[in-house]
Structures are given as C-alpha cells and as structure tokens.
Amino acid sequence: MSSHDQYVESADGTRLALRRLGAGDPVVLVHGSGGGLHSWATVADQLAHDHEVWLPARRGYGPSDVPPGPKSFTDETADLLAVIEAAGQPTGRTVHVVGASYGATVALHTASADPRGIRSLAIFEPPLFAAGAEVAPLLVRYRSAFERDDAAAMAAALNDVTRVPAEIVAALAASAGTRTPDPAEARRAAIGWLHDLEALAGDSTDITRWSAITVPTLLLAGADTWEPMPTTMTTLARTLPAARYTVWAGQSHFVTMTAPTLVADALRRFFVEASTA
C-alpha cells in the first residue's frame, strides 16, 4: 500500500509529521510511548483497503518537532485536533480516532475537550493509573538516566511506570536476543518517552472525568495484560456505560503487533456500527 508523508502545523506552530495511506472515511491512529510513524503500520495496511488512514508522529517523536520545555496533555490535545482537522478537511467527513496505550489517553483528552470532528473513538488500554504524583519521581529518575545516556536505568524507570511484570520484561529481553536497537531510533524513542512522562506527571488519575464523552466509543483490552490495567479498563467501562467493551482472550498490551488482523477487523466492524448509529 503506497503512502504519502506530509506535515501538519499545530496551534503553537509545532510541525507534526504524518503518514497517510488508503482512501475512504478518515481514520487517525494515535501511537503510544516509544512509538512513531511506524507504530500502527501492520494494522494501518489492513484498514487502508477501505479507509484513508492517518498516522501522526506525536510531538517529541521525530520527524515531528521536539519543542523545548515540558509537554502537557493540553499540547497533545491541540496537536490531535490539528490532525483531525487535516484528516476531515478534504471531504468534510468526521474522523474515526483510535488510540493505543498513551495514545489512547491523548484520544480521551481530545474527545473530552472538543469532540466536534470525531465520529467515533476507539480506546486500547490507556495507562490511566500512571499519572500525577506517582509518576513525578519516576520522571526525575528517567531524566537523570536519560542525561547520562544510561539505557538500563531508563528501562528500569519505565518498567516502574508501566508496571510490566519482571517475567515479561525477561521474556522480551530473551526474544530480542543479541539484537540491539538502532542507536538513532533508540535515542528518538528515549526523547519521546521523556516528554510523555512530563505530560503524565502533570495529569490526573481521575477516570470519572471522561464520563462526559458521548461520541460512539469502543474500549479494547487484552485478557492477558497485567494489573492494574484490567481494573483500570473495568473502571473506564463503568464510567462510559454506553461504550462497547471488547476483551481479547490470549492477547496482551502488545496486540497491535501480535495480532494486527484481530485489531483491524474489530475496528472495521466498529466503524460501520458507529457510522450507522
């Protein structure tokens, strides 16, 4: 599937890189922490058969701009609204917004702030438990490790943010074997993580604030994802009682990589339902 790369300017002048592919109703896929233009690639390739798919790199993640100073979810919301406007402009259609992990938190903030351009919202496992005072000391730890370029210490701080169980961390390390990440890519992800942690440290763990969201919403989760994500998702489902809620057996927080067809099919079905509701 051929793609087209372009830039969109956010309200404060930050340039956001975008990859666009396919044709049809517009879909914006918002990536999680450590990601970028590539994050949703396998899901996007499948959705692009019948949708126009927009893949932004969030601010802080090259080739998008990395503005100086700490980032907030106010910045993220302005950015996503700029992308939604660009995606809807050619046809005047409203946009299906899909977020994974931290990108799902961005999508919730945006739908709460200004839902006018959003046709539907699909939310996969936002880390709503990782915010505020709890994250602040982890941000300090991470920033110190980042400034020393200490990859192991950065990873340890992030594991305390995401609460990935030690056995899963070990299994991921074993599956990577002797492969080492490209240094430029590792640095790009590390910079992005730093700014995401800034936004998380300035945010709240209050899930009830999302109760005002009224656009058609699909909540998605993996049955094998570790706590406190299952409890977080259950609380979010109670907060958004009109939302559909799908839990995939045998899947975890990595489902967009391990089972992209499962994800794409669920999204495609939901887009049809949301468009006819």
Side-chain angles (χ1 to χ4, degrees):
M1 183 73 63
S2 62
S3 64
H4 172 70
D5 289 4
Q6 64 190 81
Y7 283 90
V8 163
E9 195 169 289
S10 190
D12 66 355
T14 298
R15 287 199 335 148
L16 306 169
L18 292 161
R19 184 157 293 158
R20 179 163 53 93
L21 60 159
D25 282 347
V27 178
V28 174
L29 302 177
V30 190
H31 70 81
S33 294
L37 290 176
H38 61 283
S39 295
W40 283 97
T42 48
V43 174
D45 282 344
Q46 297 190 42
L47 289 178
H49 292 297
D50 43 19
H51 292 82
E52 183 177 75
V53 183
W54 293 66
L55 303 165
R58 292 187 290 98
R59 75 167 59 204
Y61 289 89
S64 291
D65 286 349
V66 183
K71 183 174 72 171
S72 71
F73 278 106
T74 301
D75 300 324
E76 296 276 25
T77 296
D79 293 352
L80 183 50
L81 287 172
V83 174
I84 289 168
E85 183 181 359
Q89 217 164 32
T91 59
R93 295 170 178 163
T94 49
V95 176
H96 299 292
V97 175
V98 183
S101 196
Y102 177 103
T105 306
V106 174
L108 286 168
H109 274 279
T110 306
S112 180
D114 188 352
R116 286 173 297 176
I118 301 175
R119 184 183 308 192
S120 75
L121 190 64
I123 298 296
F124 174 73
E125 295 194 339
L128 303 177
F129 54 85
E134 176 189 312
V135 172
L138 299 175
L139 167 61
V140 172
R141 259 179 62 198
Y142 182 87
R143 192 189 302 278
S144 173
F146 175 84
E147 288 169 353
R148 308 192 301 274
D149 200 20
D150 183 339
M154 282 189 277
L158 295 182
N159 287 340
D160 285 349
V161 174
T162 58
R163 316 243 192 120
V164 183
E167 61 270 20
I168 295 179
V169 174
L172 290 171
S175 69
T178 57
R179 281 179 286 126
T180 55
D182 172 70
E185 172 61 24
R187 188 68 179 173
R188 190 192 66 81
I191 292 167
W193 260 111
L194 175 63
H195 294 296
D196 287 356
L197 290 175
E198 291 168 347
L200 290 170
D203 201 25
S204 161
T205 55
D206 175 22
I207 294 177
T208 61
R209 61 189 160 149
W210 310 122
S211 61
I213 292 174
T214 56
V215 297
T217 302
L218 173 66
L219 304 179
L220 299 164
D224 293 352
T225 301
W226 50 91
E227 286 289 358
M229 188 62 80
T231 298
T232 299
M233 290 301 297
T234 301
T235 305
L236 185 59
R238 283 201 303 266
T239 301
L240 298 170
R244 302 162 178 82
Y245 185 24
T246 296
V247 181
W248 286 307
Q251 299 297 333
S252 75
H253 199 61
F254 310 113
V255 66
T256 55
M257 291 177 285
T258 58
T261 301
L262 186 71
V263 177
D265 287 349
L267 291 173
R268 192 178 281 110
R269 283 195 303 274
F270 172 59
F271 297 157
V272 171
E273 293 169 14
S275 296
T276 56

